[in-house]
Amino acid sequence: MAVTASQSNLAGLPRRLVQDGIVSEKVVMEAAEAARKSKQSLVAYLVHNEMADSRAVAVAASHEFGVPLMDLDAIEIDLDTLRAVDQKLLNKHRVLPLVKRGQRLFLGISDPTNLQAIDDVKFQTSLRIDPVVVEEAKLQDRIAKALEAVDTTMSSLDDEDFDLENLDVSGDEREDDGVTKDDIEDAPVVRFVNKVLLDAIKRGASDVHFEPYEKIFRVRTRLDGVLSEVAQPPVALANKVCARLKVMSRMDIAERRVPQDGRIKMRLSKNRAIDFRVNTCPTLFGEKIVLRILDPSSAKLGIDALGYDDIQKTMYQKHLDKPYGMILVTGPTGSGKTVSLYTGLNILNTEDRNISTAEDPAEINLPGINQVNVNPKVGLTFASALKAFLRQDPDVIMVGEIRDLETAEIAIKAAQTGHLVLSTLHTNDAPRTLTRLVDMGVKPYAIATSVSLIIAQRLARRLCDNCKEVQDVPREALVKEGFNAQDIENGLTVFKAVGCNSCNDGYKGRVGIFQVMEVSETMGRIIMEGGNAMQIADQAASEGVLDLRRAGLNKVRDGLTSLVEINRVTIE
């Protein structure tokens, strides 16, 4: 009597193939043994040896494992999605990335039992992998076309060919006891570090974090202001990666007890180089290293690209045109203060002006502007740099940050004696900036007569135009969020983030939110009379100055960002 599939030792996909009448039990058992010896999947062996129909096998696999089935002829695959997976993995595992939505990657695979392929792709991309069954015959054809279409390098920057092991980066050849030169120049470590940095540049990240812990070593990048994990290499690599980064940054790799600062210049081609500002900090389980990616193009965006509304832009330009006075930009770290200052400096950077800046450090090189890196260890502080500038016939002075009374007093005197001064402070909004100067010890009358404009700012993630959807929000909720009756009556439309192939969780890029406050005579009197920030804020509101919350709601009204994002970056 013949033995049926249900009575034999067959299980999983082989049993399903026999039950569905696609192949006989004898054929599938022989094919399974032959596939094992030739190190192929059963599906690939059956299809390529014409022992079973490719479509029928795909349907059976989909039903057996509850995995969705997709016809590859019906889908156009985005090049960025293809580049998400290393092409060696495409060839090795015979898989194909189909669609990327946020942190999810839908992976075309003919054999869903190939868990090694799914795990390898998940590790390489740090994405959640959702397998999708596709036909084996079509899969191989599409993989071949994908490999032709995609640049064979890891990055598509400028369509140039980058050698991950031999990128031109600054570095020394010092050795460290415990970490040898061979460790530092170990090809896998070099490739890993270069890949992480190039990926960060390609994605438009602002920072890269290498973080060692007791049992894990993770790498995170900050994209559009939000940190997310991109890799979790073996813990054993932590010291080697750290040493490699320190050599690239020209740091002392033997010194692990104190923080260090360095800089990397990665030359991608004859015409393009990217700078990284690097800082190390000793932690319980090794040195954490953070790299800030310095993008020279951000300083040349132009004032229209920053996100100022028309009134705010006109006010900023008006005070940049003044021959003297002080413009202060305020906000937390990472709120875009430097970009706003550099944009103003680019407007002022003409042949007839002498411009000097004191920065810690100078992030972006600006030709035509005299930039100084402060160095407190040798006595070159913001205050001493300012004193030197005043003896060098300046027209415009930029101070990276006003941190102490001496710097504040010198900057204010410069603004009072015919110089335009630009600087930053760390305060929450524009009115608090004035009282912060008073708290530092600056005389109220000096503030009232020198500070002319204050810009408080935040950066919010910009909604992706391709996938944003209208969000149904009740009228009561809109009013509670801060919208007024006129906004609602004018047909207010609120959008929400969704997520698609061309964005990150529904967002792509960032937009500035600004409070631009001109210091009026009335505000000056409030300061000199000992008024507080609330009184100044009330006066600013009466003069038509939008606070950060209202400016953010205007960006929601204009469809540029979501309510969720504005609630994240502003205070209700």
Side-chain angles (χ1 to χ4, degrees), residues 297-321 327 339-348 453 455 462 511-512 514 516:
S297 62
S298 65
K300 301 176 183 178
L301 286 174
I303 197 167
D304 292 318
L306 297 181
Y308 290 94
D309 64 31
D310 291 339
I311 295 175
Q312 293 172 337
K313 180 175 66 176
T314 301
M315 194 175 296
Y316 190 17
Q317 290 177 319
K318 167 188 166 184
H319 286 272
L320 287 172
D321 290 338
I327 298 174
V339 173
S340 282
L341 284 179
Y342 278 10
T343 301
L345 289 176
N346 267 319
I347 293 171
L348 296 168
L453 186 74
I455 301 171
R462 186 188 291 267
V511 62
F514 302 93
V516 181

Side-chain angles (χ1 to χ4, degrees), residues 460-461 463 495 507 511 552 555-556 559-563 565-566:
R461 290 181 292 173
L463 281 169
F495 292 90
Y507 298 96
V511 62
K555 294 292 189 289
V556 175
L560 296 175
T561 189
S562 66
L563 264 176
E565 184 66 5
I566 291 304

Side-chain angles (χ1 to χ4, degrees), residues 45-57:
Y45 188 87
L46 289 170
V47 172
H48 293 300
N49 287 283
E50 299 182 351
M51 301 169 74
D53 178 71
S54 179
R55 174 70 181 176
V57 172

Side-chain angles (χ1 to χ4, degrees), residues 502-558:
S502 60
C503 68
N504 293 284
D505 297 329
Y507 298 96
K508 189 172 185 179
R510 289 195 282 181
V511 62
I513 299 169
F514 302 93
Q515 179 185 28
V516 181
M517 187 181 85
E518 191 174 34
V519 181
S520 63
E521 290 185 9
T522 304
M523 290 183 196
R525 284 197 296 272
I526 293 173
I527 297 165
M528 288 189 285
E529 292 169 1
N532 57 37
M534 291 185 64
Q535 291 172 296
I536 298 169
D538 290 341
Q539 178 60 32
S542 70
E543 295 178 10
V545 177
L546 299 180
D547 61 19
L548 284 167
R549 178 68 181 178
R550 181 66 228 185
L553 292 177
N554 285 352
K555 294 292 189 289
V556 175
R557 180 196 63 198
D558 296 339

